[in-house]
Amino acid sequence: MSLQTGGFAAGAAEPTAPQVRALLDRAVGFPGLAEKYRGAADRRAADLRILDPLSAEELRAAVWSGVRGGLAKDRGAVLYLGGGTTAEPSATLVPSCLFAGDILRAWSPLAPGDVLLNLSRGTRLWPVHDLCNALAALSGCSAIPYGTPDADDLGRLVDFFEQCGATALAADTPTLRALLEHCRLTGRRPDWLRTLLWVGVGLDGATARLLAEVLPDAAVWGLYGSVETWAIGCNGPRCARDVFHPLPHQYVELVDGEILVSTLHELAVTPLVRYRTGDTGEFADCPCGAPQPGIRVLGRSADVLSFRGARFGRAELVALAASVEEVAAAGAEVLDAGLPTERLQLSVRTVEGAPSDRYLCDWVRECVLARHLTLRQAVAGAPDAFEVVAAAVPTG
């Protein structure tokens, strides 16, 4: 692979030799990565770009083997789960500070006097809820850590949250879209929400249009990241919605169009060494006038699915479906992405002689939900958003 030309995005200075060596020392401390990086660590390598990129599968195996081996002990770390199964989870270890102070030094959406209404999902799915609460506390403002409301409750809760004095909102995509759609249909204009904190890959077109219609004057602040990488970059009201400026401790590269991230922070626990995010992008100038280009996120690789504000590996869902005895093959795709009708569809082809009926599809659905760590949380409140159908599975 060759490094794409165009320079590095703002906030990510060329890694120093001590930073590279500290990153390698961190990596070889994980049993699954010791063999991969031991040679470079022994040579005291100082150039990050000579190191082999780290795949999602390698990171998943390394972190989980490290956790099982006791690497989380005496670290002051928090373990978050982003997907997979109890046998092979996708996880990360972050310091208890959640890097919140470092994020705020580059990205300051809140101020004393604000009241943050935190409707983000917590715990497993890219734990934005915990991070937003930490950002509010360090910003000197108050928080209403409500969590994700049911769609049926939005009507009464809009007025309730206004009475609570909320001025800022943090929400995942499905919740934000449901709130905006409710306000549009009822003619409400919650102008008391002056600030919006959004976390993900970029606002989809439908949600952005709703936001412009319902909250045209709200200042929109975005964080780009995932469970495995934590926060990678940020943008603000003067930035393009899909362009993010890397945080100072996140070194970003583009290799054959794929976004690679290395975490250089001295408190980092998970060893991100040129980690392959599965996202594609390009370097881009930003309307905010930053002297260095930002990173525009263009899409995802074929094996990464973005669904209801969460990210899943296509292969892990297919493997869970195919583990059912009657299933010969399976495929997964997201339909109507970014729309209220967005849904995750698993297509299954049965073995010869097995019935392809509703009962089998329902059984496969329950098996997948029971064994996957985070999918059930993603479809909470919208059970019809995940469906299993019996159909021909394309090959290749």
Side-chain angles (χ1 to χ4, degrees), residues 1 27 34-35 103 111 123 126 143 157 171 179 207 248-249 277 279-280 325 353 364-365 368 396:
M1 293 186 296
E35 183 176 351
I103 294 171
T123 63
W126 176 196
L157 289 177
L179 176 64
T207 305
H249 60 275
T277 64
D279 292 331
T280 59
E325 184 178 355
V364 172
R365 184 180 185 278
V368 173

Side-chain angles (χ1 to χ4, degrees), residues 83-86 307 312-324 327 330-332 344-348 360-377 379 386-389:
T85 67
T86 53
F307 171 62
F312 302 102
R314 187 190 306 271
E316 70 189 38
L317 297 175
V318 167
L320 286 175
S323 68
V324 176
V327 175
L344 173 63
Q345 185 180 87
L346 270 178
S347 302
V348 297
L360 175 67
C361 291
D362 288 347
W363 173 242
V364 172
R365 184 180 185 278
E366 284 306 310
C367 288
V368 173
L369 284 174
R371 295 183 59 195
H372 198 276
L373 280 172
T374 54
L375 182 56
R376 188 179 294 275
Q377 186 180 5
V379 299
F386 173 47
E387 61 185 10
V388 177
V389 298

Side-chain angles (χ1 to χ4, degrees), residues 198 200-204 223-225 232-235 240-246 252 254 257-261 277-284 294-301 304 306 311:
W198 190 89
V201 178
L203 286 176
D204 60 82
L223 273 183
Y224 160 53
I232 297 173
C234 57
N235 63 24
R241 296 278 167 81
D242 59 349
V243 175
F244 298 89
H245 302 284
V252 175
L254 283 177
E258 184 177 12
I259 298 172
L260 273 58
V261 177
T277 64
D279 292 331
T280 59
E282 63 183 8
F283 291 115
I295 189 81
R296 173 176 287 118
V297 182
L298 299 176
R300 285 157 295 282
S301 64
V304 179
S306 180
R311 291 158 59 96

Side-chain angles (χ1 to χ4, degrees), residues 36-381:
K36 183 180 180 72
Y37 295 114
R38 174 73 67 189
D42 290 345
R43 295 194 309 271
R44 307 298 290 165
D47 186 352
L48 187 68
R49 287 169 292 185
I50 68 171
L51 304 177
D52 290 336
L54 183 64
S55 71
E57 292 76 17
E58 289 173 318
L59 181 67
R60 173 180 295 191
V63 171
W64 189 234
S65 65
V67 170
R68 288 184 303 170
L71 282 181
K73 296 178 181 178
D74 302 322
R75 296 290 185 102
V78 185
L79 174 67
Y80 285 112
L81 304 173
T85 67
T86 53
E88 296 182 337
S90 174
T92 193
L93 288 162
V94 294
S96 57
C97 67
L98 307 183
F99 298 116
D102 297 273
I103 294 171
L104 281 179
R105 280 188 280 276
W107 187 74
S108 302
L110 302 169
D114 277 325
V115 177
L116 175 66
L117 172 58
N118 190 354
L119 302 186
S120 302
R121 284 176 288 189
T123 63
R124 292 168 289 177
L125 287 177
W126 176 196
V128 181
H129 190 84
D130 294 350
L131 178 59
C132 288
N133 288 341
L135 293 173
L138 290 179
S139 299
C141 68
S142 301
I144 308 170
Y146 191 89
T148 305
D150 294 332
D152 295 340
D153 285 340
L154 286 175
R156 66 183 182 85
L157 289 177
V158 170
D159 293 335
F160 171 72
F161 290 139
E162 181 180 9
Q163 293 169 14
C164 289
T167 64
L169 171 69
D172 54 69
T173 304
T175 301
L176 174 61
R177 190 162 53 225
L179 176 64
L180 294 173
E181 184 65 20
H182 169 80
C183 291
R184 186 186 70 83
L185 292 175
T186 59
R188 298 190 183 190
R189 292 294 181 270
D191 297 329
W192 40 275
L193 286 176
R194 303 191 298 265
T195 305
L196 173 66
L197 282 65
W198 190 89
V199 180
V201 178
L203 286 176
D204 60 82
T207 305
R209 287 190 291 273
L210 276 172
L211 182 62
E213 179 180 350
V214 177
L215 290 172
D217 299 322
V220 181
W221 299 77
L223 273 183
Y224 160 53
S226 68
V227 170
E228 294 79 13
T229 62
W230 210 242
I232 297 173
C234 57
N235 63 24
R238 297 170 52 227
C239 299
R241 296 278 167 81
D242 59 349
V243 175
F244 298 89
H245 302 284
L247 296 167
H249 60 275
Q250 298 282 38
Y251 187 63
V252 175
E253 301 174 72
L254 283 177
V255 177
D256 294 340
E258 184 177 12
I259 298 172
L260 273 58
V261 177
S262 300
T263 300
L264 305 175
H265 201 289
E266 60 183 7
L267 296 180
V269 181
T270 297
L272 288 188
V273 184
R274 308 188 78 202
Y275 175 69
R276 300 183 61 180
T277 64
D279 292 331
T280 59
E282 63 183 8
F283 291 115
D285 292 330
C286 185
C288 71
Q292 298 294 329
I295 189 81
R296 173 176 287 118
V297 182
L298 299 176
R300 285 157 295 282
S301 64
D303 190 52
V304 179
L305 298 174
S306 180
F307 171 62
R308 292 184 58 80
R311 291 158 59 96
F312 302 102
R314 187 190 306 271
E316 70 189 38
L317 297 175
V318 167
L320 286 175
S323 68
V324 176
E325 184 178 355
E326 294 85 352
V327 175
E333 61 180 330
V334 175
L335 305 177
D336 298 342
L339 299 175
T341 54
E342 179 179 274
R343 63 194 187 278
L344 173 63
Q345 185 180 87
L346 270 178
S347 302
V348 297
R349 177 166 53 83
T350 58
V351 298
E352 185 175 353
S356 301
D357 54 21
R358 170 187 171 186
Y359 299 103
L360 175 67
C361 291
D362 288 347
W363 173 242
V364 172
R365 184 180 185 278
E366 284 306 310
C367 288
V368 173
L369 284 174
R371 295 183 59 195
H372 198 276
L373 280 172
T374 54
L375 182 56
R376 188 179 294 275
Q377 186 180 5
V379 299

